[in-house]
């Protein structure tokens, strides 16, 4: 039985992604958060090799985002098949539009406008990322104070008004996040860029939902060809990546002599190479959570991501040219999960998995018990 991919509201506390281990603490995988923070700041003090830094940092970001995506409540909205099929086309239009803006408009003006937009989003992303940590450290007396803001809406950023609840930890984190984003806007320091980029990545993986494995496959395959075309067939993506001074990419300091000689102090990794495969890995983890972690497909997907990204770095070093990361990540992730499912004799079950169907089944079971 199939139902639309939109979430069906239910009064029942039973959800398809219930995780008793994750619910024991406000923020899952605390050691992975600490490792990500350590890896991200290590180049400030040590000459960390660039290639391992890229792979480890991206892998930790995917792991943290995926773990945080396992919640008692499923996502309220998820991507449809039509959205997945349109995504590469919409992305192409936006990418080429940015290319034209940088080509025909003053670069500083375009970056200034985009930086303001990303600073606003960055403050929200930082607040959501660090709120669980501060909330655990706040005394109960302060944590109990709350203020409700009815029908809050930010023009151009929010399509529908929402009821916002503000508490002391949220206000404290929000003020610090705004101050940090102002520092980024003024200084454009690489560490500030990476903190915002990692916050965007974690929040994207945590909250964006594909809804089903089929939709995830459609999206990944579509972006597989998108990445190949815009990197190998045109100079557009590389040009935009080099011109765009906003936290849409992670910057990794290079300490080798060649980087100094060529005045290329950083290697780059686009956030799309983290978030896009990351939301599929997170979906697979929620599949495992629904089956009480007996299936282990998350480890296959996660290994596939690391293998694909590592292959990207290796090919880039061999040919000394920019590589479309999804060219290697997509086949690796889908191949590892597919082979694992085929070995277990569950290929069809995994391929047809849908969070909306599971949620509808849970609602039906609850209704029967209530009768």
């Amino acid at each position: 039985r199939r139902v639309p991919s939109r979430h069906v509201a239910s009064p029942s506390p039973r959800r398809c992604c219930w995780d008793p281990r994750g619910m024991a603490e406000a923020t899952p995988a605390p050691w992975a958060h600490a490792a990500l923070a350590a890896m991200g700041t290590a180049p400030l003090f040590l000459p960390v090799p660039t290639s391992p830094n890229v792979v480890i940092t991206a892998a930790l970001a995917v792991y943290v985002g995926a773990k945080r995506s396992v919640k008692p409540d499923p996502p309220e909205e998820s991507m449809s098949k039509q959205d997945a099929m349109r995504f590469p086309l919409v992305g192409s239009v936006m990418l080429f539009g940015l290319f034209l803006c940088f080509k025909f408009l003053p670069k500083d003006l375009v970056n200034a406008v985009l930086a303001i937009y990303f600073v606003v989003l960055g403050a929200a992303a930082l607040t959501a990322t660090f709120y669980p940590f501060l909330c655990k450290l706040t005394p109960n007396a302060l944590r109990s104070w709350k203020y409700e803001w009815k029908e809050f809406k930010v023009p151009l950023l929010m399509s529908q008004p929402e009821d916002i609840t503000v508490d002391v930890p949220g206000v404290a984190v929000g003020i610090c996040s705004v101050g940090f984003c102002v520092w980024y806007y003024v200084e454009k320091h690489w560490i500030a860029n990476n903190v915002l980029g990692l916050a965007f990545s974690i929040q994207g993986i945590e909250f964006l939902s594909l809804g089903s494995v089929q939709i995830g496959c459609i999206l990944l395959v579509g972006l597989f060809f998108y990445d190949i075309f815009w990197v190998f067939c045109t100079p557009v993506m590389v040009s935009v990546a080099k011109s765009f001074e906003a936290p849409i990419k992670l910057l990794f300091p290079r300490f080798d002599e060649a980087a100094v000689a060529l005045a290329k102090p950083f290697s780059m990794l686009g956030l799309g190479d983290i978030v896009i495969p990351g939301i599929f890995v997170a979906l697979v983890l929620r599949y495992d959570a629904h089956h009480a972690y007996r299936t282990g497909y998350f480890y296959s997907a996660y290994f596939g991501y690391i293998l694909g990204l590592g292959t990207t770095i290796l090919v880039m070093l061999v040919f000394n040219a920019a590589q479309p990361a999804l060219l290697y990540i997509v086949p690796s992730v889908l191949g590892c999960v597919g082979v694992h499912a085929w070995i277990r004799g569950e290929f069809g079950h995994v391929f047809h998995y849908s969070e909306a169907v599971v949620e509808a089944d849970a609602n039906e079971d609850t209704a029967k018990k209530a009768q």
Side-chain angles (χ1 to χ4, degrees):
R1 181 176 73 260
R2 297 301 174 86
V3 298
S5 61
R6 300 292 181 183
H7 167 59
V8 181
S10 169
S12 167
R14 180 181 176 183
R15 303 295 181 186
C16 64
C17 298
W18 182 77
D19 179 14
R21 293 181 298 177
M23 294 306 297
E25 53 188 0
T27 303
W31 290 108
H33 284 79
L36 180 59
M39 198 68 199
T41 55
L44 289 171
F45 313 101
L46 301 170
V48 180
T50 305
S51 297
N53 191 9
V54 173
V55 176
I56 295 173
T57 300
L60 285 171
V62 169
Y63 185 87
V64 168
K67 287 291 185 179
R68 290 174 64 131
S69 76
V70 181
K71 302 176 182 293
D73 296 322
E76 293 185 357
E77 292 190 358
S78 57
M79 186 176 294
S80 67
K81 287 186 179 180
Q82 290 73 23
D83 294 333
M85 290 186 286
R86 285 194 297 261
F87 198 94
L89 178 60
V90 174
S92 297
V93 172
M94 294 180 63
L95 179 66
F96 191 66
L98 285 173
F99 175 76
L100 294 178
C101 287
F102 282 116
K103 187 175 181 64
F104 296 107
L105 296 176
K107 178 182 175 181
D108 292 340
L109 175 62
V110 176
N111 276 317
V113 173
L114 293 174
I116 294 174
Y117 175 75
F118 279 97
V119 160
V120 174
L121 293 181
L126 284 176
T127 301
T129 301
F130 290 102
Y131 172 80
F133 295 100
L134 186 60
C135 190
K136 292 174 66 176
L137 300 175
T138 304
N140 291 332
L142 292 177
R143 196 188 308 173
S144 61
W145 180 89
K146 295 182 179 180
Y147 174 77
E148 294 186 2
W149 195 334
K150 298 292 186 181
E151 297 186 354
F152 176 81
K153 182 179 180 180
V154 179
L156 303 179
L157 297 181
M158 299 172 63
S159 58
Q160 297 293 334
E162 297 182 5
D163 294 340
I164 303 296
T165 300
V166 180
D167 57 11
V168 172
V171 171
V173 175
I175 292 173
C176 294
S177 298
V178 170
F180 184 89
C181 289
V182 171
W183 175 61
Y184 163 77
Y185 185 81
V186 174
E187 296 293 335
K188 295 294 193 302
H189 196 280
W190 69 266
I191 194 67
N193 173 91
N194 286 5
V195 170
L196 290 173
L198 289 171
F200 286 137
S201 299
I202 291 171
Q203 291 301 302
I205 297 171
E206 180 179 357
F207 289 106
L208 293 178
S209 173
L210 294 169
S212 72
V213 172
Q214 285 188 37
I215 293 174
C217 293
I218 293 172
L219 178 67
L220 289 181
V221 171
L223 292 177
F224 169 83
F225 291 105
Y226 161 92
D227 223 17
I228 293 173
F229 175 77
W230 289 110
V231 173
F232 283 153
C233 302
T234 75
V236 171
M237 184 174 288
V238 175
S239 175
V240 170
K242 291 181 177 179
S243 301
F244 207 154
E245 296 177 0
I248 62 164
K249 58 194 175 188
L250 299 184
L251 302 175
F252 299 91
R254 297 176 60 183
F255 300 97
D256 55 285
E257 296 180 358
V260 176
L262 298 174
K264 294 181 178 180
F266 296 102
S267 292
M268 299 181 296
L269 179 67
L271 298 191
D273 298 328
I274 301 175
V275 176
I276 297 301
I279 57 178
F280 184 83
V281 174
L283 174 65
V284 174
L285 176 60
R286 295 196 295 274
Y287 176 92
D288 284 349
H290 175 64
H291 292 84
Y293 298 99
R294 293 190 300 266
T295 50
Y297 292 116
F298 166 72
Y299 299 105
S300 298
Y302 190 59
F303 172 76
Y305 177 75
I306 296 174
L307 178 63
L309 183 58
T311 304
T312 304
I313 300 298
L314 179 62
V315 175
M316 182 183 67
L317 293 175
V318 171
F319 292 97
N320 194 28
Q323 297 293 315
L326 295 183
L327 169 63
Y328 308 96
I329 294 174
V330 169
S332 184
V333 171
L334 295 183
C336 287
V337 174
V339 170
H340 188 178
W342 178 75
I343 293 174
R344 288 178 56 92
E346 298 176 345
F347 187 88
H349 188 271
V350 173
F351 183 72
H352 292 99
Y353 172 74
S354 172
E355 291 182 306
V357 172
V358 173
E359 177 65 11
D361 291 340
N363 295 342
E364 184 177 318
D365 292 343
T366 303
K368 290 180 178 178
K369 291 180 181 180
Q371 291 177 353

